[in-house]
Amino acid sequence: MRVSWNWLSELVDLSKVGGPAKLAELLTSRGLEVEAIERQDQGLEKVVTAHIVERAQHPQSDRLSLCKVSTGVGEPLQIVCGAANARAGIKVALAQIGAELPNGLKIGASKIRGVESFGMLCSLEELKLADTSEGIMELPADTKLGLPLAQVLGRNDTVLTLK
């Protein structure tokens, strides 16, 4: 049986338990074997909601664009993007420097065809939310900026699998 930490928290006060791992230990000590603990936000820890403020053509490539992207805090970041649907005005998923995406890709500051890029705009496929995707993930227009993507998608949960 699979049990959601968030769901269980609605039914029982788990504030003093110490997290899902401690709950698993407690349940196991009481005779309920916990087979697995699965974080639903795995690989999304440093992916946040953002807004493409400006899009321009990359000076060294016909297929790439330069996007100025805002998370609502600080100056907009420059991101080199190859997605055809990247355009000013849309809300997107931004993998920040230091992110390790579910597909194994590690995000760092880089130079792409001579232009610095400080993160990556993500597709559903790169986030392992779909098998295939066309371009970057577009979020609803009313999405607040700078929120963890896992929270926006309802994936900020841990699931315990009981034997």
Side-chain angles (χ1 to χ4, degrees), residues 2-50:
R2 294 171 46 88
V3 179
S4 158
W5 171 267
N6 289 347
W7 174 77
L8 198 54
S9 295
E10 291 175 12
L11 302 174
V12 180
D13 179 12
L14 297 175
S15 61
K16 294 182 175 116
V17 171
K22 291 289 187 188
L23 178 61
E25 288 176 21
L26 182 64
L27 290 172
T28 300
S29 72
R30 302 291 195 275
L32 281 172
E33 186 179 340
V34 178
E35 291 182 323
I37 302 171
E38 179 186 344
R39 285 188 32 217
Q40 299 294 298
D41 67 347
Q42 194 72 39
L44 300 176
E45 295 91 341
K46 294 196 78 157
V47 181
V48 298
T49 58

Side-chain angles (χ1 to χ4, degrees), residues 3-162:
V3 179
S4 158
W5 171 267
N6 289 347
W7 174 77
L8 198 54
S9 295
E10 291 175 12
L11 302 174
V12 180
D13 179 12
L14 297 175
S15 61
K16 294 182 175 116
V17 171
K22 291 289 187 188
L23 178 61
E25 288 176 21
L26 182 64
L27 290 172
T28 300
S29 72
R30 302 291 195 275
L32 281 172
E33 186 179 340
V34 178
E35 291 182 323
I37 302 171
E38 179 186 344
R39 285 188 32 217
Q40 299 294 298
D41 67 347
Q42 194 72 39
L44 300 176
E45 295 91 341
K46 294 196 78 157
V47 181
V48 298
T49 58
H51 176 249
I52 299 178
V53 178
E54 180 182 309
R55 183 206 171 273
Q57 190 62 43
H58 189 292
Q60 304 296 322
S61 173
D62 292 336
R63 294 183 53 226
L64 298 175
S65 58
L66 296 178
C67 296
K68 295 285 185 193
V69 179
S70 173
T71 61
V73 178
E75 294 295 314
L77 300 170
Q78 178 171 276
I79 309 287
V80 175
C81 182
N85 66 328
R87 62 191 184 282
I90 63 172
K91 304 279 178 81
V92 294
L94 168 67
Q96 299 173 308
I97 292 173
E100 289 189 38
L101 300 181
N103 70 355
L105 188 61
K106 295 178 182 177
I107 306 301
S110 62
K111 268 193 173 179
I112 301 172
R113 295 224 179 159
V115 177
E116 289 185 312
S117 185
F118 300 97
M120 182 177 129
L121 303 181
C122 300
S123 71
L124 290 166
E125 184 177 1
E126 290 159 339
L127 297 172
K128 293 277 190 188
L129 298 173
D131 292 333
T132 62
S133 60
E134 301 267 334
I136 55 176
M137 178 182 192
E138 294 187 41
L139 299 168
D142 62 348
T143 302
K144 292 184 179 178
L145 299 180
L147 294 176
L149 184 66
Q151 177 184 332
V152 171
L153 299 178
R155 295 179 62 98
N156 55 335
D157 196 3
T158 300
V159 176
L160 292 101
T161 302
L162 307 175

